[in-house]
Amino acid sequence: MVGVTVPGTIYPITVVKCRNEANAVPTVDLSAPGAAASVADACRGVGFFRATNHGVPAALADALEALAAAFFALPHDEKLEHASARPFGYGSKSIGSNGDVGWLEHLLLAVGSGSGSSTLPPPLRAALEEYTGAVREVGGRVLELMAEGLGLDRGAFRRMVAGKDGDASGEMVRVNHYPACPLASGVTGFGEHTDPQIISLLRSNRTGGLQIMLRDGRWVPVAPDPDSLFVNVGDSLQVLTNGRFHSVKHRVAASEAGKQARLSVIYFGGPAASQRIAPLPELLKEGEQSLYKDFTWGEYMKAAYKTRLGDNRLSPFELHCSSSNAVQPPPPPHVAPVH
């Protein structure tokens, strides 16, 4: 029995149909020559891409998916025994602490510290640790490709996710379970938002529901592909690149009644609380002004905890420079008309 009850408020999502989704979501073969340029192009144009040939063994992902599904099938009261000190551990319906809700239940764990994982069934805990270790390595390689694609030292971004001077990194892993919703189609599973970290990598089962917003404001669905990882540019990376890379807004519509539940696992590559977040000086062109105030990751998260899910959490840190000095975004990729 799945213990997700009806939220107090249901926020409907208009399920968007895109004629040719393949044109909307770039695909990057991480093993191919020229991958760095392809990654950079995808991050400039969409802020999101499908990563193939990533090297995470399918057996790890399949084992974690099976164990996570078994956990979420437990009686609700039994799952509540695994709720840790907020925000870690098991949760249901609530997203954050400011009133956002969704048709989902989840596990949220801190990478490395063990926060939220100590009470989990040992097989699930072991599977999470092994899978997270593999995806974390892929995230590091993608960060190196991002830096290379911008002409930076390959370790420019990756070093920020490794922690600093004994200050642990802000890495997390989240397992989201979206049971089929008997109420109506288009119910919010997870409301629209951007990810605050530097990078996030998502893998899901074969059930869809994920949608991303293109630069022209259109929402398009992302076809599920369990063999691939989906990479999101986070808010922090948008700042570090002075707007060259785009933090993509995304959301999830809950599965309709009678369909398989959606299960996704997301690794979030966040920096240490003391890490300074500001446009990298070596990236700025002569005369180019910073679009953002300097801040630390800890300061950003303190401000973000006071916001709602769909708020622009970078707003307090934005500087309003003259448009002639701002980095102009590339034109949006061609997408077939939405019907």
Side-chain angles (χ1 to χ4, degrees):
M1 176 180 175
V2 176
V4 178
T5 56
V6 179
T9 305
I10 296 298
Y11 301 96
I13 285 180
T14 300
V15 180
V16 181
K17 296 181 179 180
C18 179
R19 177 179 292 177
N20 193 347
E21 179 271 335
N23 285 344
V25 178
T27 297
V28 178
D29 181 345
L30 298 184
S31 67
S38 297
V39 166
D41 286 346
C43 294
R44 290 188 187 98
V46 182
F48 181 90
F49 63 91
R50 176 189 288 108
T52 62
N53 288 322
H54 46 73
V56 177
L60 285 184
D62 292 343
L64 175 56
E65 181 180 322
L67 288 165
F71 173 83
F72 288 119
L74 293 172
H76 187 57
D77 289 345
E78 191 170 337
K79 285 180 288 190
L80 286 176
E81 296 175 4
H82 302 283
S84 304
R86 287 182 178 270
F88 298 110
Y90 173 78
S92 173
K93 297 181 295 181
S94 294
I95 303 172
S97 57
N98 296 313
D100 291 293
V101 296
W103 190 263
L104 85 161
E105 53 184 343
H106 69 271
L107 289 169
L108 181 63
L109 315 170
V111 175
S113 70
S115 294
S117 66
S118 59
T119 66
L120 292 180
L124 176 58
R125 183 170 67 245
L128 271 167
E129 291 174 352
E130 189 173 8
Y131 175 82
T132 301
V135 174
R136 188 186 193 194
E137 176 59 30
V138 177
R141 288 194 282 117
V142 171
L143 288 170
E144 290 180 346
L145 291 172
M146 289 174 169
E148 181 183 341
L150 289 169
L152 301 171
D153 167 49
R154 281 176 61 89
F157 299 135
R158 186 169 190 170
R159 284 191 292 269
M160 296 184 185
V161 181
K164 54 181 294 187
D165 302 327
D167 191 1
S169 70
E171 298 167 281
M172 298 186 298
V173 63
R174 183 179 179 111
V175 185
N176 287 334
H177 178 243
Y178 303 90
C181 179
L183 300 180
S185 63
V187 168
T188 300
F190 207 114
E192 63 181 73
H193 64 287
T194 57
D195 292 340
Q197 293 84 2
I198 294 177
I199 190 176
S200 54
L201 286 82
L202 175 147
R203 188 262 182 191
S204 78
N205 62 3
R206 297 187 182 280
T207 300
L210 177 63
Q211 302 172 5
I212 63 170
M213 180 186 281
L214 302 181
R215 300 295 290 272
D216 61 8
R218 284 183 293 169
W219 286 96
V220 296
V222 177
D225 180 4
D227 297 326
S228 299
L229 294 174
F230 291 90
V231 179
N232 280 25
V233 170
D235 291 345
S236 296
L237 188 55
Q238 179 171 310
V239 174
L240 291 166
T241 62
N242 208 35
R244 287 168 172 79
F245 287 179
H246 172 65
S247 180
V248 67
K249 186 169 283 191
H250 52 287
R251 64 190 184 185
V252 177
S255 303
E256 297 179 16
K259 293 189 176 180
Q260 180 185 11
R262 175 178 171 86
L263 193 146
S264 61
V265 183
I266 311 98
Y267 161 78
F268 298 97
S274 60
Q275 176 65 52
R276 175 176 171 269
I277 305 295
L280 298 180
E282 59 268 37
L283 191 59
L284 299 182
K285 298 177 181 178
E286 184 177 353
E288 181 183 341
Q289 297 181 27
S290 172
L291 302 179
Y292 304 93
K293 304 173 187 177
D294 291 16
F295 55 90
T296 66
W297 172 246
E299 291 169 340
Y300 174 76
M301 290 309 296
K302 183 178 180 179
Y305 283 138
K306 300 176 182 178
T307 64
R308 296 293 299 268
L309 187 63
D311 291 344
N312 175 13
R313 288 171 288 196
L314 284 177
S315 180
F317 307 101
E318 292 174 346
L319 295 173
H320 300 286
C321 304
S322 63
S323 58
S324 60
N325 290 311
V327 177
Q328 297 301 315
H334 171 72
V335 182
V338 177
H339 296 280

